Amino acid sequence: MNVVGIIAEYNPFHSGHAYHIRQAKELAKADYVVVILSGDFVQRGEPAIFDKYSRTQDALNGGADLVFELPVRFSLSSAGDFAYGGISALNSLGFVTHVCFGSEQGEIDSFLEVAETLDQEDNSRSEFNTILTDKLKNGSSYPDARAQALMNIIGDTDLDECFFSMPNNILGIEYCLAIRKLKSPIIPLTILRDGQDYRDATNPSMRRYPSSTAIRAGITQSNTPHLTLNDFSDIISYRFRELLRDEAGSSDRNSVTEAGKDLSGDIYGRIKNEIDSFTCAEDLIEKCRTKAFTDSRLRRCLLQSCIGLKKTDNSMPYLHLLGLNTKAGHLLKDLRGAGIDEQEGEAPSGTVHILTRLAADLPRLDSDARKLYEEDLFAADIYRYVFQRKYRVTLPNEYQQAPVVVDR
């Protein structure tokens, strides 16, 4: 039996994603499709435009069989951490045989070659960081500097700079590298990305496969209930004023910059200089942007600080089940410690817990795992609070939510 995994945001789900699911299933000759889905906050440093349960419903209707939440410490993070978290989640399940990602390259051999070189070089990351820093100091933009640093490390290759700078290719390299680092038996596959360029925000109505950027742009101009980064402006303003107060009363500046996973001293300094003229989150991003600090990183810093995401371990002791096709439910029955048909008692060390009913499942986690899940719980609470405040509605909390179930 083959099971193919997909790591996704579906922000929002559209026809291109349904195409990816069909192609992944065909390419892997898979019986089932498992999706690891970003929760309420996504890798580009924004709240998901729709909540995770709505997007799960769309994914199941679009062909997915199981949908698990990618913990927020991975979903609201850099490409490397995002990819590592997604692969780690798929690997922890034990029954996923393949992973399929879209790319601008469309050929898996290139990704395997680059990942092998990076993995073999023990000091490749430190060398990469040194070259990256030098390129940024010399005026290169972050994407260009990153591509040039990777080319320097890889050495003689037929791949051009474009390969190393395209966003889906970047993630593809990180997926393959994560598989190697985890010594995972999962087989990576890729399909050529088709349709509107992901950065193209023009009207997607005439496109075969529109971009999520274009669809989001249309949603923000409509009356459809949704959230954007600016909806979190008050929380962001309060949080950074709180950090300024803490800094004034502390001799240890590191304690302040450690308030966010990607919050460096330089970024904190720029935010500090602009906080008195703060009007909204996007305006702050505009004022703090540099070639070295991309919009995505700045947005992540703002939200990470609000949620309290710090540098942490990369373990995967649990997975939160967001939804399932009933025909795939049997895949979970062999997982010791699962929230479905589980035996009494705790799962053995190293076994992933599947969370389905939080009131019953959370007590089964050890203290370290519960502490990690509290980050996800807090992130969900903030997202729910902002949505309720914006639209004057009441939504169920995580303890009241059940996985989305379809029968097809």
Side-chain angles (χ1 to χ4, degrees):
M1 178 182 71
N2 286 349
V3 178
V4 64
I6 293 173
I7 302 162
E9 293 182 335
Y10 295 157
N11 188 36
F13 190 88
H14 56 69
S15 58
H17 296 135
Y19 169 78
H20 180 200
I21 290 174
R22 293 193 303 271
Q23 291 295 108
K25 195 170 183 178
E26 180 178 335
L27 190 59
K29 296 179 173 57
D31 303 282
Y32 300 99
V33 177
V34 176
V35 172
I36 305 299
L37 181 69
S38 294
D40 291 320
F41 295 92
V42 299
Q43 199 265 330
R44 66 196 307 270
E46 291 185 345
I49 200 159
F50 299 143
D51 72 89
K52 60 192 174 190
Y53 294 101
S54 299
R55 287 153 44 234
T56 294
Q57 181 75 66
D58 291 339
L60 292 170
N61 292 340
D65 296 297
L66 292 171
V67 180
F68 295 95
E69 180 177 4
L70 180 64
V72 69
R73 63 186 180 276
F74 297 111
S75 71
L76 188 58
S77 196
S78 63
D81 284 352
F82 175 87
Y84 186 92
I87 295 297
S88 181
L90 292 173
N91 190 60
S92 70
L93 290 169
F95 53 70
V96 176
T97 57
H98 299 74
V99 63
C100 184
F101 57 90
S103 68
E104 291 85 4
Q105 173 75 357
E107 296 290 339
I108 195 62
D109 288 347
S110 299
F111 296 97
L112 296 175
E113 173 193 343
V114 173
E116 181 180 9
T117 302
L118 291 175
D119 190 40
Q120 288 176 345
E121 295 293 332
D122 291 338
N123 298 318
S124 62
R125 284 297 183 182
S126 58
E127 181 185 353
F128 169 82
N129 289 331
T130 299
I131 298 172
L132 178 67
T133 300
D134 289 343
K135 297 293 183 183
L136 290 171
K137 286 180 179 178
N138 290 330
S140 296
S141 67
Y142 184 85
D144 289 344
R146 186 187 189 283
Q148 292 164 25
L150 281 172
M151 289 188 70
N152 271 272
I153 293 172
I154 299 303
D156 187 21
T157 179
D158 293 332
L159 301 173
D160 59 19
E161 189 174 317
C162 184
F163 172 84
F164 293 99
S165 61
M166 298 302 288
N168 291 288
N169 286 351
I170 290 171
L171 278 174
I173 293 170
E174 296 293 349
Y175 290 140
C176 293
L177 186 58
I179 288 172
R180 292 186 63 90
K181 289 187 176 301
L182 288 164
K183 295 181 172 56
S184 171
I186 292 175
I187 300 169
L189 306 169
T190 190
I191 61 172
L192 183 66
R193 190 184 184 281
D194 192 9
Q196 189 176 15
D197 187 275
Y198 85 104
R199 294 162 294 194
D200 188 349
T202 58
N203 189 338
S205 61
M206 301 302 292
R207 308 284 183 159
R208 180 186 179 197
Y209 297 124
S211 73
S212 294
T213 301
I215 295 174
R216 284 195 299 271
I219 291 170
T220 58
Q221 300 301 315
S222 73
N223 293 323
T224 304
H226 66 277
L227 291 183
T228 67
L229 184 62
N230 275 344
D231 293 319
F232 291 75
S233 294
D234 288 348
I235 296 176
I236 290 168
S237 176
Y238 174 82
R239 178 56 177 152
F240 277 91
R241 292 179 191 282
E242 186 179 47
L243 291 176
L244 287 173
R245 181 201 63 195
D246 292 345
E247 181 189 23
S250 173
S251 59
D252 182 11
R253 189 184 181 192
N254 287 334
S255 64
V256 176
T257 56
E258 288 174 359
K261 187 176 181 182
D262 294 334
L263 185 64
S264 67
D266 289 341
I267 292 177
Y268 175 72
R270 296 189 72 85
I271 293 173
K272 178 180 176 180
N273 291 337
E274 300 295 343
I275 199 68
D276 281 341
S277 61
F278 184 98
T279 58
C280 67
E282 291 293 355
D283 177 63
L284 182 62
I285 297 295
E286 182 71 27
K287 291 176 178 177
C288 293
R289 180 190 301 123
T290 68
K291 285 186 175 181
F293 304 138
T294 61
D295 286 12
S296 292
R297 182 174 179 185
L298 291 170
R299 289 191 296 258
R300 285 198 301 270
C301 285
L302 298 184
L303 289 175
Q304 287 171 357
S305 299
C306 289
I307 296 171
L309 292 183
K310 303 177 182 179
K311 293 180 176 63
T312 186
D313 66 79
N314 287 330
S315 63
M316 192 66 66
Y318 64 84
L319 281 174
H320 181 197
L321 180 68
L322 295 177
L324 76 159
N325 168 18
T326 55
K327 293 180 176 58
H330 70 92
L331 293 173
L332 300 175
K333 292 184 179 180
D334 293 333
L335 287 175
R336 302 272 311 270
I340 295 177
D341 291 342
E342 67 179 353
Q343 301 294 321
E344 290 297 326
E346 294 187 0
S349 175
T351 300
V352 66
H353 289 260
I354 306 301
L355 306 180
T356 60
R357 301 181 302 275
L358 296 189
D361 296 337
L362 287 185
R364 302 180 187 278
L365 300 181
D366 63 30
S367 59
D368 290 337
R370 281 199 299 273
K371 186 175 181 180
L372 288 175
Y373 186 72
E374 284 169 4
E375 295 176 345
D376 299 297
L377 199 57
F378 187 59
D381 281 345
I382 288 180
Y383 187 95
R384 181 173 57 89
Y385 162 74
V386 172
F387 190 94
Q388 288 183 158
R389 185 171 180 267
K390 182 177 181 178
Y391 291 104
R392 299 294 189 266
V393 296
T394 301
L395 300 176
N397 63 37
E398 291 296 274
Y399 284 91
Q400 297 165 328
Q401 285 279 8
V404 179
V405 178
V406 299
D407 188 4
R408 55 172 172 74

